[in-house]
Amino acid sequence: MGKSAQFPLHVWLPDAMEGPTPVSALIHAATMVAAGVYMLSRVFFLVHASPVAQEWIAIVGTITTVMAALMALQQNDIKRILAYSTLSQIGYMVTAIGMASEQAAMFHLFTHAFFKALLFLGSGAVIYGTHHEQDIWKMGGLKNRLPTTFLTFLVGTLALTGCPGLAGFFSKDLILSTAREHHPLIFTLLLTTAFLTAFYMFRLMAVVFGGRTRSAHARDGHQPPPVMTIPLMILAVPSVIAGYRWFAGRFVDLPAAEHLDLVLALLSFAVFAAGALSAWTLYAGKDSDPISIPLFANKFYIDEIYAFVIAWTQDFLAWAIAMFDRFVLDGAIVRGVFSGGVWVTGFMLRFLQFGNLQAYAFLFGIGAVSLIYFILSGKL
C-alpha cells in the first residue's frame, strides 16, 4: 500500500473541518464549498443552453444531497455532522441549478450561510464548554450548562431543518416546489432528505443537550465567554428573518412572488415534524447509539475505495516510473552507456601512461616508424 493510503482521506470533506472552528464556519457558510454553486449560477446561461448538462447537474446534486445526509446520520463528531450537512445542502442548491432555477439555488445559499455559520460557531462553543470534546456521546445534559449556546443552536437547527417561519423553510421549499414541477423522483428524494436532515440534527440536539451527562468534560461544562456567545446571538437573528422577501430581496434576486402552496407547505412541515419527533423519541435519554449502520458510519467506504484506487493507479504508476528511472534511465543509460563508457575509455587509456621512460621511448619509436610507413606507402 502506498503512502497515500496510510493517512485518512477526507474525499467528501474539506480538511478545514479539522481546523479551527471559526475557519470551519467561514468555509462551510460562505466560501470554498459554496463557491461551486456561485460559479454555476454565474455561468447559468451556458448551463441553460444544454438540457443534457442540466440533467446531469440535477442528478449529481440529488445523489450528493441524499448520500451526504445518510452519512450524517451515523457520525459522532459534532463538527463532522455539520460538515456532511453542508454537503447535503450544497446538493440541494446544485439540484436547483440543474432544474433551471438558479434563483432558488442562490436564495438557499444565502439563507444557508447564516444558520450554518451559527451552527458551526455553536459547535465551537460546545467544544470549548466541554474542554475540547467533540464526540457527541461524551456530552449530554448541556441544555442547562450552556443555555445561550443551546437556544441559539436550537434556532440554527430549526432553520436548517426547514421549520416554518425560519429562513431555511422558505428557501428549501422553493427548491422543493421547483423539483415537483420538473421531476417527481427528484422531488421525492429531496423530500426524503428533508426528513433525514431533521432526523440527524435533532439526534444531535437530543444527544448533546438532552439526557444526562456522559463524561467528566460534560459534567464540568460551562458557558463560553461573551466573545463566543455574542456572535451566536447576532447570527440567530438572520437565521430567522433571512428567508423573508423584505430582507432577502435586498441581497439576492428572487423569483416573482406567488401564492403560498399550502399543500407543499403542509407536506414540508409534516416531513420536518416526523424527522424531529422520530429522532427525539429514539435518542432522548440514550447513552449509546441504538442504530448501527456501518455503511453510513464509514461514509459508504468512499475513503477506502479512493485509497484502493490510488494504491493501484497513482501509486503503482509512481512505482513503475521510479523503477524505470532507477534501472533504465539512471542504471542502464546514464551509469551504463555514458558513465560506464567514459570509465572504460579512461581505464583503457591509463595503461598508456606507465611512468616508464623506456616504455615511452618504445611507443615513440613505434609511432615514428608507423608515420614513416604511411608516408612512404602514400596512405597519408
Side-chain angles (χ1 to χ4, degrees):
M1 187 70 70
K3 182 177 180 181
S4 59
Q6 297 174 3
F7 302 96
L9 298 169
H10 303 297
V11 180
W12 288 64
L13 195 63
D15 288 337
M17 200 286 296
E18 307 289 352
T21 301
V23 174
S24 300
L26 286 173
I27 285 178
H28 286 263
T31 59
M32 199 163 93
V33 292
V37 176
Y38 180 74
M39 182 203 70
L40 286 174
S41 297
R42 289 297 302 269
V43 299
F44 180 73
F45 65 95
L46 296 175
V47 175
H48 189 64
S50 173
V52 176
Q54 283 186 244
E55 182 179 358
W56 277 104
I57 289 173
I59 291 172
V60 170
T62 304
I63 293 173
T64 302
T65 299
V66 176
M67 289 188 68
L70 291 174
M71 293 176 187
L73 288 176
Q74 288 282 280
Q75 302 304 312
N76 297 327
D77 185 312
I78 185 171
K79 289 176 67 177
R80 193 174 293 275
I81 295 171
L82 298 177
Y84 284 110
S85 171
T86 299
L87 293 172
S88 184
Q89 298 306 306
I90 294 295
Y92 262 98
M93 304 169 203
V94 172
T95 303
I97 291 173
M99 294 183 297
S101 183
E102 81 283 5
Q103 291 177 324
M106 287 302 297
F107 185 26
H108 195 50
L109 181 67
F110 174 74
T111 60
H112 175 265
F114 294 111
F115 52 73
K116 187 50 62 73
L118 170 59
L119 289 170
F120 257 105
L121 290 178
S123 71
V126 171
I127 293 168
Y128 177 86
T130 55
H131 306 281
H132 305 287
E133 181 59 67
Q134 293 190 214
D135 189 340
I136 62 173
W137 292 104
K138 295 180 180 178
M139 299 179 185
L142 298 181
K143 179 178 65 174
N144 298 324
R145 289 175 170 79
L146 289 76
T148 303
T149 302
F150 166 69
L151 290 175
T152 53
F153 204 96
L154 178 60
V155 171
T157 297
L158 291 173
L160 170 62
T161 53
C163 177
L166 277 74
F169 170 77
F170 298 101
S171 57
K172 185 178 291 185
D173 269 27
L174 183 58
I175 296 177
L176 289 174
S177 177
T178 303
R180 188 175 65 169
E181 295 175 3
H182 284 76
H183 203 295
L185 177 58
I186 290 179
F187 170 72
T188 302
L189 291 174
L190 293 184
L191 201 62
T192 302
T193 304
F195 170 84
L196 295 175
T197 303
F199 187 90
Y200 67 67
M201 285 306 300
F202 276 90
R203 167 185 180 261
L204 186 156
M205 292 293 298
V207 174
V208 172
F209 295 101
R212 66 178 187 85
T213 56
R214 291 181 291 273
S215 70
H217 289 168
R219 284 190 292 273
D220 296 335
H222 57 86
Q223 183 67 38
V227 71
M228 298 179 70
T229 55
I230 290 176
L232 301 181
M233 292 185 282
I234 294 174
L235 285 168
V237 176
S239 295
V240 175
I241 67 174
Y244 292 92
R245 285 182 173 271
W246 56 265
F247 183 84
R250 298 172 180 270
F251 304 97
V252 293
D253 292 330
L254 298 176
E258 298 178 357
H259 295 293
L260 176 66
D261 189 333
L262 185 59
V263 175
L264 179 60
L266 290 175
L267 183 60
S268 179
F269 173 74
V271 169
F272 155 75
L277 291 174
S278 299
W280 197 268
T281 301
L282 189 61
Y283 285 96
K286 295 294 191 298
D287 293 333
S288 60
D289 200 331
I291 299 176
S292 178
I293 306 177
L295 182 64
F296 299 163
N298 290 285
K299 305 168 291 255
F300 291 91
Y301 298 98
I302 291 176
D303 288 351
E304 289 75 10
I305 293 171
Y306 185 79
F308 177 81
V309 170
I310 289 298
W312 289 102
T313 55
Q314 178 179 296
D315 286 1
F316 176 77
L317 180 61
W319 175 84
I321 292 175
M323 293 299 103
F324 180 79
D325 177 71
R326 179 179 301 175
F327 295 107
V328 178
L329 293 180
D330 189 45
I333 298 177
V334 176
R335 295 183 181 276
V337 177
F338 296 111
S339 177
V342 171
W343 183 87
V344 170
T345 303
F347 180 81
M348 295 176 64
L349 290 176
R350 73 177 183 174
F351 287 105
L352 298 179
Q353 300 180 5
F354 300 102
N356 188 310
L357 185 60
Q358 292 179 342
Y360 291 156
F362 176 73
L363 292 176
F364 179 80
I366 292 177
V369 171
S370 300
L371 181 61
I372 294 170
Y373 169 75
F374 285 115
I375 292 174
L376 295 177
S377 63
K379 296 181 179 180
L380 188 63

